[in-house]
Amino acid sequence: MQHDIEKVLISQKAIEQRVEELARRITADLLALPHEVSPQVTLIAILTGSIVFVADLVRQLPLRLQIQVISISSYPGTATSSHGAAVQEALTRIPPSLAGRHVLLVDDILDSGNTLRAAQALITQREPASLRTCVLLRKDRPEAQSVAVDYVAFDIPDVFVVGYGLDHDDYYRNLPEIVTLRSHVLQQEPTPSRNGT
Ligand code: 5GP
Ligand code: MG
């Protein structure tokens, strides 16, 4: 796996520090909301890329919160550019109504914006008390800048990255840092029948 890495873009240490910082801001913002006992918070994670980020983030949010997931496919297999976004109902677990809930939507990366726009639309239909969006990475391209997000851990160049939850053909999610891959890896054939998440 290490041989496939071209360059480390964001180190494990830098991620750790930034997640801590972001968690403090999110906590302060949610606690500043008017509420009687504690705010009714629902964190909605977009599968699968956000799982590592969410695992680290939630453990730094000292709030009473529920965790739910939605699955939206975009990058099929080894593709490295977006092909639209489709909600995968079977892997989506959010209640028909989010009334009274303050939702924190979390994704791994904001690229074309198709995924986040689809997720935001789905959640908005369920009428939450509020909706905030948090992404680990945002790419430097106009489409990404045009989507409204409240928290961004890192702005990165418009390159294909893996690690810390992000995959290529479902591999590399377990790398502790965010890296780019050597070109020979990116040209490999995908594993049959998988949807990019
Ligand atoms: P969008 O819909 O904004 O184009 O893409 C968002 C989804 O595509 C992300 O949730 C992620 O799963 C995938 N994606 C976008 N850019 C990258 C990237 O650079 N690396 C990886 N591994 N996945 C990406
Ligand atoms: Mg994803």
Side-chain angles (χ1 to χ4, degrees):
M1 191 164 71
Q2 301 304 324
H3 296 129
D4 300 341
I5 297 174
E6 182 192 57
K7 187 177 157 198
V8 175
L9 224 60
I10 308 171
S11 71
Q12 192 174 355
K13 187 87 202 142
I15 297 172
E16 221 175 273
Q17 285 173 353
R18 185 68 182 131
V19 170
E20 221 179 284
E21 217 172 86
L22 219 57
R24 268 199 303 273
R25 263 187 53 208
I26 294 170
T27 304
D29 290 353
L30 290 171
L31 289 178
L33 293 167
H35 55 85
E36 280 172 24
V37 188
S38 60
Q40 302 291 303
V41 180
T42 299
L43 184 150
I44 299 182
I46 303 183
L47 295 176
T48 304
S50 74
I51 60 171
V52 178
F53 178 38
V54 166
D56 283 345
L57 186 69
V58 285
R59 283 177 292 171
Q60 312 230 24
L61 299 177
L63 301 165
R64 190 162 182 275
L65 61 81
Q66 295 182 327
I67 300 179
Q68 281 153 358
V69 295
I70 51 182
S71 178
I72 295 177
S73 61
S74 52
Y75 277 21
T78 54
T80 56
S81 64
S82 184
H83 296 267
V87 176
Q88 296 183 290
E89 300 292 342
L91 293 171
T92 295
R93 293 271 180 280
I94 52 174
S97 167
L98 287 163
R101 312 287 312 178
H102 295 282
V103 173
L104 180 67
L105 173 64
V106 184
D107 201 9
D108 52 358
I109 187 164
L110 173 52
D111 182 15
S112 73
N114 292 332
T115 303
L116 272 183
R117 260 192 292 269
Q120 287 173 338
L122 186 79
I123 292 166
T124 306
Q125 275 169 17
R126 299 176 190 208
E127 302 184 328
S130 68
L131 170 60
R132 287 169 180 73
T133 303
C134 173
V135 291
L136 173 69
L137 306 172
R138 177 171 58 187
K139 283 194 188 172
D140 183 13
R141 53 182 289 201
E143 297 88 336
Q145 308 289 334
S146 74
V147 180
V149 288
D150 304 275
Y151 309 101
V152 179
F154 300 97
D155 278 298
I156 62 163
D158 188 7
V159 292
F160 186 78
V161 294
V162 299
Y164 198 68
L166 290 112
D167 76 305
H168 182 251
D169 199 23
D170 266 332
Y171 292 105
Y172 309 106
R173 295 194 197 273
N174 54 322
L175 284 174
E177 60 274 288
I178 290 159
V179 309
T180 55
L181 291 174
R182 289 181 195 274
S183 54
H184 75 270
V185 182
L186 297 176
Q187 283 149 17
Q188 274 161 22
E189 285 301 307
T191 305
S193 72
R194 80 167 276 284
N195 288 311
T197 51

